[in-house]
């Protein structure tokens, strides 16, 4: 078993203790299969204006654009890599993925609170994780206290979101929406699609109820890596966010559960 304590943006964080926070459910965008030639220089993904001057305001800006029915403003809130995947230009975005995002992420009301923002890397490669949580209705079904977690990057003098997840990672314990006993709990998720060896080749982080889990264990399973950490589940609602980076490939997702 391999113990790993990832480098964090703030080194004085203790192992996360519970704080009051809404229950959340996993709503991250699915991994996107990249088909581009990896030797090609990336294009700018189409012209884009500014989105936000801070990482925690990216999702509110995106929500405002989606709820206003403004494809151009929402396109500007995507990173260059994400515009390549979901565009690649404004016309492609408007006639394609824009509708999916409007019905998915756009189902959160404007004003849904930002419950978490964490800087992962400083300049020049500034990036972080941010999440919103609240009630929404998707395809006629109510989802109380759902969560949307996403990678955010700073480029072209603006913070933007990059939901084009490149790795497959899913909650393992507890399963999203489950009810567990309040108190000490092993929180874990699985990373699949990699050849599991004794040494994990990347960076895997767990955040729980607003804080980072500092003592994280990564070990190989059967065709997966299992990332886990010890936390204390509070009675009521709990939520977790995962961040994974392997060889430049990234994924971010969140999920929630209850404790009693």
């Amino acid at each position: 078993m391999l113990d790993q304590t990832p480098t964090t943006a703030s080194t004085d964080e203790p192992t996360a203790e519970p704080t009051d926070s809404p229950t959340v459910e996993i709503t991250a965008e699915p991994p996107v299969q990249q088909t581009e030639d990896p030797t090609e220089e990336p294009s700018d993904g189409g012209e884009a204006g500014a989105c936000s001057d801070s990482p925690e305001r990216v999702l509110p800006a995106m929500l405002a654009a989606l709820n206003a029915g403004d494809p151009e403003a929402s396109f500007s809130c995507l990173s260059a890599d994400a515009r390549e995947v979901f565009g690649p230009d404004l016309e492609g975005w408007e006639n394609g993925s824009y509708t999916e995002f409007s019905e998915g992420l756009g189902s959160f009301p404007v004003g849904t609170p930002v419950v978490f923002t964490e800087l992962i890397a400083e300049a020049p490669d500034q990036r972080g994780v941010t999440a919103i949580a609240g009630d929404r209705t998707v395809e006629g079904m109510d989802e109380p206290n759902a969560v949307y977690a996403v990678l955010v990057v700073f480029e072209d003098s603006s913070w933007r979101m990059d939901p084009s997840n490149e790795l497959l990672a899913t909650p393992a314990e507890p399963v999203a929406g489950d009810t567990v006993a309040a108190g000490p709990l092993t929180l874990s998720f699985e990373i699949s699609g990699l050849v599991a060896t004794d040494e994990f080749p990347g960076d895997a982080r767990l955040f729980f109820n607003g804080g980072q889990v500092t003592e994280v264990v990564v070990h190989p399973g059967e065709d997966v890596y299992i990332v886990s950490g010890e936390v204390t589940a509070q009675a009521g609602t709990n939520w977790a966010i995962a961040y994974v980076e392997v060889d430049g490939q990234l994924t971010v997702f969140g999920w929630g559960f209850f404790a009693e």
Side-chain angles (χ1 to χ4, degrees):
M1 179 177 295
L2 174 66
D3 290 339
Q4 293 197 353
T5 303
T7 302
T8 66
S10 54
T11 58
D12 59 350
E13 287 281 359
T15 301
E17 291 297 328
T19 58
D20 290 336
S21 175
T23 300
V24 294
E25 299 174 2
I26 182 168
T27 57
E29 297 295 329
V32 175
Q33 297 298 321
Q34 304 292 337
T35 58
E36 298 87 11
D37 183 348
T39 64
E40 290 183 0
E41 290 294 327
S43 73
D44 62 3
E47 294 184 2
C51 177
S52 172
D53 59 3
S54 64
E56 63 269 16
R57 296 302 303 166
V58 171
L59 283 174
M62 184 62 152
L63 277 185
L66 292 173
N67 278 266
D70 189 339
E72 185 174 359
S74 60
F75 188 66
S76 294
C77 281
L78 297 176
S79 71
D81 285 346
R83 295 196 299 273
E84 282 287 346
V85 172
F86 300 110
D89 52 25
L90 178 58
E91 181 179 1
W93 163 251
E94 188 170 5
N95 294 328
S97 297
Y98 170 69
T99 299
E100 299 173 13
F101 275 80
S102 295
E103 295 174 349
L105 175 56
S107 62
F108 284 94
V110 171
T112 299
V114 177
V115 297
F116 177 77
T117 302
E118 177 82 4
L119 190 63
I120 298 294
E122 302 280 355
D125 184 24
Q126 294 186 78
R127 64 184 181 275
V129 177
T130 190
I132 56 174
D135 299 343
R136 69 174 185 167
T137 301
V138 182
E139 297 181 351
M141 298 187 65
D142 292 335
E143 290 188 13
N145 299 316
V147 66
Y148 185 93
V150 71
L151 178 76
V152 288
V153 298
F154 187 76
E155 57 185 27
D156 297 330
S157 303
S158 182
W159 283 94
R160 309 173 197 274
M161 59 181 278
D162 191 340
S164 50
N165 291 332
E166 301 159 312
L167 297 168
L168 180 59
T170 55
E173 184 181 354
V175 174
D178 269 6
T179 299
V180 299
L185 173 73
T186 300
L187 184 70
S188 66
F189 67 92
E190 296 180 350
I191 308 166
S192 55
L194 300 172
V195 177
T197 62
D198 287 341
E199 184 174 355
F200 180 64
D203 181 7
R205 309 189 191 194
L206 263 172
F207 303 94
F208 179 66
N209 286 352
Q212 180 162 350
V213 182
T214 56
E215 296 183 8
V216 173
V217 177
V218 184
H219 61 90
E222 186 175 349
D223 300 323
V224 298
Y225 283 103
I226 302 171
V227 182
S228 62
E230 300 302 315
V231 300
T232 301
Q234 66 182 21
T237 62
N238 296 264
W239 59 270
I241 289 175
Y243 168 90
V244 182
E245 178 182 4
V246 178
D247 293 332
Q249 293 184 306
L250 297 155
T251 191
V252 172
F253 70 93
W255 78 100
F257 56 92
F258 298 88
E260 59 183 23

